[in-house]
Amino acid sequence: MSLEIRAARPDDVDVAVPMLRASMGGLANYLFDDPRRTLDEYLAGMYQAAGHRFSWTVSFVAEQEGKAVGYLLSYPGRALNGLQLAFLRKFPGLFGWGDTLRLLRRTLPLLNAPEAESDEYYVSNIGVVPQLRNLEHGTHLMAFAESRARLARLMKCSLAVDETNTDAIRLYERLGYRIVFTRRFSGQLAEKESGYHRMVKPLTA
């Protein structure tokens, strides 16, 4: 059965939210922990707002026989700063200034944590329906991301992965990605997530 990958839509929110939650791991709980809203409410609001780093406008959905089986959020590394700024500008309108100030405080430990270089195509978030993870869907999504990189005339693809996610690290290494940087967190953030590896793959034409 062939896998079809298409541009995401706002109504794919029920697909995107669990994938975003799983791929962000403890970092999502650290950034958006708030008794007034669930994490999924934050992620849904973020996903359905257009034009920023967690939006449907930079997302793709993998389908098999018309059923969603995977999700990808990716873009050129040179777009990251603009998409991050757009996210911070949209956040107050979505959730209010109180939540925005709390988010900014919690983001401070991440400011010197590099994500992507301008000459890379960045796989920000990727996920596959749990019961289908052994069917190569993740590999197909990564190949799709690499094809997007080539279309953008970028010859490197990069990602960040939780340093404790050994299954994902093995998959990325099998696909040709190599660890180029490791960042370990401290303080309150380390209670949710210990750190991450930045991995990069040079692409052939």
Side-chain angles (χ1 to χ4, degrees):
M1 293 179 287
S2 63
L3 193 71
E4 301 290 335
I5 301 176
R6 61 165 174 82
R9 303 184 297 258
D11 61 2
D12 290 314
V13 61
D14 291 339
V15 177
V17 165
M19 302 294 183
L20 286 168
R21 184 194 334 114
S23 63
M24 293 181 74
L27 183 60
N29 291 313
Y30 167 75
L31 291 174
F32 305 114
D33 181 36
D34 185 339
R36 295 169 297 172
R37 291 187 180 90
T38 67
L39 174 57
D40 283 6
E41 286 174 326
Y42 275 111
L43 296 176
M46 289 156 46
Y47 172 79
Q48 291 188 302
H52 66 89
R53 67 169 301 173
F54 296 112
S55 172
W56 64 271
T57 55
V58 288
S59 298
F60 303 89
V61 173
E63 292 182 328
Q64 196 165 55
E65 295 187 329
K67 183 177 180 180
V69 298
Y71 172 78
L72 171 71
L73 193 158
S74 61
Y75 42 80
R78 59 178 175 261
L80 176 57
N81 288 340
L83 289 169
Q84 174 70 1
L85 183 59
F87 170 64
L88 294 175
R89 285 175 172 166
K90 288 177 182 290
F91 204 86
L94 293 170
F95 304 113
W97 279 105
D99 283 9
T100 302
L101 292 174
R102 179 176 52 79
L103 174 67
L104 290 172
R105 284 196 301 272
R106 294 188 177 187
T107 301
L108 289 176
L110 301 172
L111 292 180
N112 62 343
E115 288 189 72
E117 301 293 339
S118 61
D119 63 344
E120 299 168 353
Y121 188 82
Y122 182 47
V123 177
S124 173
N125 301 84
I126 186 170
V128 173
V129 173
Q131 59 268 33
L132 302 176
R133 285 179 182 163
N134 294 322
L135 298 179
E136 299 295 314
H137 295 332
T139 299
H140 290 304
L141 281 165
M142 290 300 296
F144 176 80
E146 291 168 15
S147 72
R148 299 283 301 180
R150 293 184 181 93
L151 285 173
R153 302 192 179 209
L154 297 170
M155 299 312 294
K156 289 190 287 183
C157 208
S158 67
L159 55 88
V161 58
D162 185 334
E163 66 172 0
T164 65
N165 191 345
T166 54
D167 288 342
I169 294 167
R170 278 196 295 267
L171 169 63
Y172 299 141
E173 288 178 335
R174 179 170 64 81
L175 295 177
Y177 289 78
R178 296 293 177 262
I179 296 170
V180 298
F181 176 87
T182 298
R183 169 69 189 274
R184 291 190 172 88
F185 299 129
S186 60
Q188 186 181 2
L189 176 52
E191 297 174 8
K192 300 290 186 181
E193 186 161 326
S194 62
Y196 70 89
H197 298 308
R198 201 173 91 78
M199 304 184 73
V200 176
K201 176 183 178 179
L203 304 178
T204 56

